[in-house]
């Protein structure tokens, strides 16, 4: 039987991935959002779809998707836009504490960029799209015989365009050294290999908190995991991320852990977008205070509306059919 592409969740991921990756934090003019979305959806959206497709076709779950997401983060920051190695990229100071000589990379930005891609570019859009999907389709592949090669081709082309555009506009012609590119590619390959070899852990009878508590954990962890740009902030981020992965990983082996818990964890993270735009600096330093408030309020409103709509959708699906565990 010919497998067809499920276009509704695919379109949802294509829109949500660039939104959470770059636009949910405010700082971008409302009039520029459509252009940013059109430019970044083929890159981040296609990557998220391919991560999910590879994991689901291989029979993997969230551990596999998170490792594949980390591989994407390494490739994106290390090879595509080369933000990991370029001292002129954006407004970041790469002579940062925890700077590693030889590779000429900051461990702080390595953690920040890769973890940001794992959570915002990949995990959040996939989890929300799956929350909107009925239970039988949540773990099935979404891309059909035509959709898969189309999305893969779009991702490759978007990566080339992004590489050339960043190199010309923000990179000032920077080109990573061969050893830097080699290390990034090898690290990504190891993560992909680990994702494909991952097998589900044995079921354990552990207690699982309520979905409200899980949402609170998602909110607190995503809001506080990088409290600054310093070596101390890196240590906090590593501790928070490791703790969340260990605890949630333990809970997910329980039969009491359901799709509702996964969605709650992501909803908590999405709610960070309601407050974060008002806490971070805008991309344009010359923006007026009034315009900044409008931009931040619009970004917060979109995140809040997304949470409300997802909550409503879950109630509708719950009335129709109970969800199964992961």
């Amino acid at each position: 039987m010919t497998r067809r592409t499920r276009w509704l969740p695919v379109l949802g991921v294509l829109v949500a991935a660039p939104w959470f990756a770059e636009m949910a934090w405010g700082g971008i003019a409302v009039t520029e959002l459509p252009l940013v979305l059109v430019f970044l959806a083929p890159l981040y959206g296609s990557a998220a779809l391919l991560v999910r497709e590879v994991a689901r076709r291989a029979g993997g779950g969230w551990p596999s998707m998170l490792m594949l997401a980390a591989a994407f983060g390494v490739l994106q920051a290390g090879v595509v836009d080369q933000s990991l190695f370029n001292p002129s990229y954006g407004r970041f100071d790469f002579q940062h504490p925890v700077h590693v000589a030889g590779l000429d990379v900051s461990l702080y930005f390595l953690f920040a960029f890769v973890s940001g891609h794992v959570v915002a570019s990949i995990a959040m859009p996939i989890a929300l799209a799956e929350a909107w999907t009925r239970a039988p389709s949540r773990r099935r592949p979404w891309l059909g015989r035509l959709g898969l090669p189309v999305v893969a081709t779009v991702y490759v082309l978007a990566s080339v365009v992004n590489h050339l555009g960043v190199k010309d506009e923000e990179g000032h012609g920077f080109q990573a050294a061969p050893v830097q590119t080699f290390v990034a590619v090898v690290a990504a390959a190891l993560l992909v290999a680990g994702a494909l070899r991952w097998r589900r852990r044995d079921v354990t009878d552990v207690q699982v908190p309520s979905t409200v508590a899980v949402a609170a954990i998602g909110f607190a962890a995503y809001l506080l995991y990088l409290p600054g740009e310093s070596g101390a902030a890196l240590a906090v981020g590593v501790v928070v991320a490791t703790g969340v992965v260990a605890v949630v990983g333990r809970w997910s082996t329980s039969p009491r852990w359901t799709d509702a818990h996964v969605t709650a964890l992501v909803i908590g993270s999405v709610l960070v977008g309601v407050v974060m735009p008002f806490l971070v600096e805008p991309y344009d330093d010359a923006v007026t205070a009034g315009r900044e408030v409008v931009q931040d309020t619009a970004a917060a409103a979109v995140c809040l509306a997304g949470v409300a709509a997802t909550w409503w959708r879950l109630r509708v699906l719950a009335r129709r059919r109970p969800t199964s565990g992961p």
Side-chain angles (χ1 to χ4, degrees):
M1 181 177 179
T2 301
R3 180 183 293 157
R4 295 182 178 181
T5 297
R6 299 179 180 273
W7 288 110
L8 284 180
V10 166
L11 292 175
V13 171
L14 287 174
V15 172
W19 171 262
F20 290 125
E22 301 290 350
M23 297 183 284
W25 317 119
I28 298 178
V30 176
T31 55
E32 296 177 1
L33 290 179
L35 180 61
V36 176
L37 185 66
V38 169
F39 181 72
L40 292 180
L43 180 65
Y44 293 143
S46 296
L49 289 170
L50 291 175
V51 162
R52 185 191 182 278
E53 195 72 9
V54 170
R56 291 308 190 194
R57 289 192 178 207
W62 276 104
S64 295
M65 283 194 282
L66 293 177
M67 282 188 281
L68 290 172
F72 163 72
V74 172
L75 283 178
Q76 178 63 31
V79 179
V80 178
D81 62 36
Q82 301 187 355
S83 55
L84 272 182
F85 308 118
N86 186 354
S88 301
Y89 185 85
R91 59 187 179 189
F92 299 108
D93 175 12
F94 279 80
Q95 297 305 313
H96 193 280
V98 205
H99 184 270
V100 178
L103 278 180
D104 197 23
V105 64
S106 165
L107 293 183
Y108 173 89
F109 288 115
L110 172 64
F111 177 80
F113 291 166
V114 174
S115 62
H117 280 305
V118 169
V119 176
S121 305
I122 307 296
M124 291 167 70
I126 291 175
L128 286 182
E130 288 190 344
W132 279 72
T133 307
R134 294 184 181 182
S137 300
R138 286 178 186 165
R139 291 168 187 80
R140 295 175 183 171
W142 287 342
L143 299 177
R145 294 180 60 184
L146 176 61
L148 180 58
V150 168
V151 171
T153 302
V154 168
Y155 169 67
V156 171
L157 293 176
S159 297
V160 173
V161 171
N162 185 256
H163 172 78
L164 296 176
V166 169
K167 185 174 184 177
D168 180 53
E169 295 181 11
E170 296 187 66
H172 305 287
F174 173 84
Q175 179 61 49
V179 65
Q180 293 174 321
T181 302
F182 176 77
V183 170
V185 171
V186 169
L190 291 175
L191 286 166
V192 171
L196 296 179
R197 292 179 60 85
W198 182 269
R199 293 295 178 267
R200 182 181 174 88
R201 296 168 60 184
D202 293 335
V203 175
T204 56
D205 188 20
V206 298
Q207 294 297 318
V208 174
S210 67
T211 54
V212 174
V214 172
I217 291 171
F219 178 83
Y222 198 39
L223 179 66
L224 303 175
Y225 89 111
L226 280 179
E229 296 182 4
S230 65
L234 172 63
V236 171
V238 171
V239 170
V240 171
T242 303
V244 170
V245 169
V247 171
V248 173
R250 176 67 172 169
W251 289 336
S252 68
T253 63
S254 170
R256 299 182 180 90
W257 182 265
T258 66
D259 291 336
H261 290 91
V262 176
T263 305
L265 185 66
V266 173
I267 283 179
S269 302
V270 173
L271 284 173
V272 173
V274 178
V275 298
M276 188 59 72
F278 303 99
L279 303 178
V280 300
E281 296 294 327
Y283 289 101
D284 184 1
D285 295 331
V287 67
T288 64
R291 184 178 176 183
E292 182 181 354
V293 170
V294 172
Q295 294 172 176
D296 293 344
T297 302
V302 171
C303 288
L304 189 59
V307 168
T310 301
W311 177 78
W312 170 82
R313 174 65 174 174
L314 290 175
R315 292 192 64 185
V316 171
L317 292 178
R319 286 197 297 265
R320 292 178 179 175
R321 189 173 187 178
T323 57
S324 59

